[in-house]
Amino acid sequence: MTLRPSYDQGRTWESADRGRRVTADWSGYSDMAVTGPGTVGLLYEAGRADARDEIRFARFTEEWLGPRGGPYPTTPDRALPARGRTGAYVLGGARPVGGRAGGALAFDGVDDAVRLPFRDGLPLGGRDFTAVLWFRGVASHGEQPLLWMGGAGGAPQVVLRAEPAARRVAGQVTAIAGPGPARTATVRVAAAYGDGRWHFAALRRGGGRIVLTVDGVTAAVADVPGSVSRNSTFGVHLGQRPDARAHLTGDLDDVRVYGRALSDTELARAGASRRVGERGLVFWLPLDRVEPGGPAGGGPDGRAPDGAPRASR
């Protein structure tokens, strides 16, 4: 159970690495309310073995949340106009390395990540889409998140991850349509990818199918119709699960998401590092450089306009 503050009236939220942990035990449903002047109460499920073991109550103040951290370094988002471009936050110390073509970023498997904050153009909704990236894995075990859009668990989401122990790469799409529960489709391509070499991966939704392509090898499953981003304000994570329970050990380069299904010809061009074009481009993170940090939201003193942060579980 971790509290994540917002300094811009809930428009964006600090990532889990800058939240304040209440407990490391399993946790579940929770609610917060003001309980007195300057004091907030948190009622939540928790337990050492199961989140449903106990109902707990905690009180905290703004001071307990601690001072706001300094601004994050950033890496440019080329899908945005140069004027006003903010880019993605580089977390934990992900460092520049030589890439597939130009620069890339290396992730240490501990706390490194890249986070693109939520903006109105990011949610894919019920549209077709294509996510493409280059990755170089060195891990031999564990979940290796490459790209994560949306929430975690059963929430709507789009995921690309390596599963080195099983010698495969997986693409996962969770969508929700109407009042019913969300449905998940998972597609996998088998091969050894933790070999320290660059590999090209693409996850496409279109024509009623979810298609995963890795180095030209393709697998497909039936699509799960509906929105992949309903009620999601978590933006995009590279090299990290949104809940920070898994991190990538390896490198990423040239990550792009399109709000359409690329054709086979376009995908082949992307896999050959040739220009595809920008039609339907949602974001483009070349990961070719890291720039000094700028404001991560809120005013220069790190406070929201009303002088106090908001908090989210």
Side-chain angles (χ1 to χ4, degrees):
M1 176 62 66
T2 298
L3 298 173
R4 298 186 302 122
S6 171
Y7 297 92
D8 56 11
Q9 296 299 93
R11 186 176 62 87
T12 62
W13 298 89
E14 299 287 78
S15 59
D17 66 297
R18 289 193 169 178
R20 186 71 188 269
R21 178 177 289 182
V22 177
T23 179
D25 291 346
W26 292 102
S27 305
Y29 289 108
S30 61
D31 200 4
M32 290 191 299
V34 174
T35 58
T39 304
V40 175
L42 171 67
L43 186 71
Y44 65 102
E45 295 179 326
R48 293 189 174 184
D50 190 293
R52 297 164 294 184
D53 284 348
E54 300 174 341
I55 300 295
R56 299 178 182 177
F57 182 75
R59 284 189 294 264
F60 66 93
T61 64
E62 179 182 344
E63 288 71 28
W64 178 80
L65 291 172
R68 189 182 190 188
Y72 292 112
T74 61
T75 189
D77 180 357
R78 300 295 184 192
L80 295 176
R83 183 175 60 186
R85 179 184 293 160
T86 57
Y89 301 139
V90 179
L91 313 177
R95 57 185 178 85
V97 294
R100 177 66 173 76
L105 284 181
F107 301 77
D108 64 4
V110 179
D111 58 0
D112 290 353
V114 169
R115 178 168 58 91
L116 188 61
F118 177 85
R119 62 174 186 256
D120 290 341
L122 283 181
L124 296 170
R127 292 183 288 171
D128 292 346
F129 64 82
T130 306
V132 298
L133 56 82
W134 289 90
F135 71 97
R136 180 165 58 187
V138 296
S140 60
H141 63 280
E143 181 182 11
Q144 297 292 306
L146 305 173
L147 165 71
W148 208 297
M149 298 181 69
Q157 59 193 278
V158 173
V159 180
L160 259 173
R161 64 175 178 265
E163 300 173 345
R167 301 169 67 89
R168 64 195 183 193
V169 171
Q172 178 182 318
V173 174
T174 300
I176 186 167
R183 297 170 57 195
T184 297
T186 304
V187 57
R188 295 181 172 91
V189 170
Y193 296 115
D195 55 6
R197 299 179 180 179
W198 284 106
H199 300 279
F200 177 74
L203 182 65
R204 286 184 289 175
R205 178 196 216 185
R209 300 192 306 165
I210 303 295
V211 182
L212 175 63
T213 302
V214 184
D215 296 340
V217 179
T218 296
V221 296
D223 188 13
V224 281
S227 172
V228 298
S229 53
R230 183 190 292 182
N231 297 332
S232 175
T233 59
F234 287 98
V236 178
H237 290 75
L238 305 183
Q240 178 193 51
R241 285 174 54 106
D243 58 11
R245 286 188 173 271
H247 289 81
L248 171 68
T249 303
D251 308 333
L252 290 175
D253 194 6
D254 199 20
V255 182
R256 308 184 189 203
V257 169
Y258 295 82
R260 62 185 181 91
L262 296 185
S263 68
D264 290 342
T265 300
E266 289 175 313
L267 200 62
R269 290 180 62 84
S273 296
R274 296 198 298 270
R275 190 172 180 83
V276 174
E278 298 184 1
R279 183 170 65 89
L281 195 59
V282 176
F283 72 86
W284 173 17
L285 299 177
L287 305 180
D288 54 357
R289 70 175 190 267
V290 176
E291 301 173 342
D301 63 351
R303 291 179 177 268
D306 65 359
R310 294 184 179 183
S312 172
R313 283 86 68 202

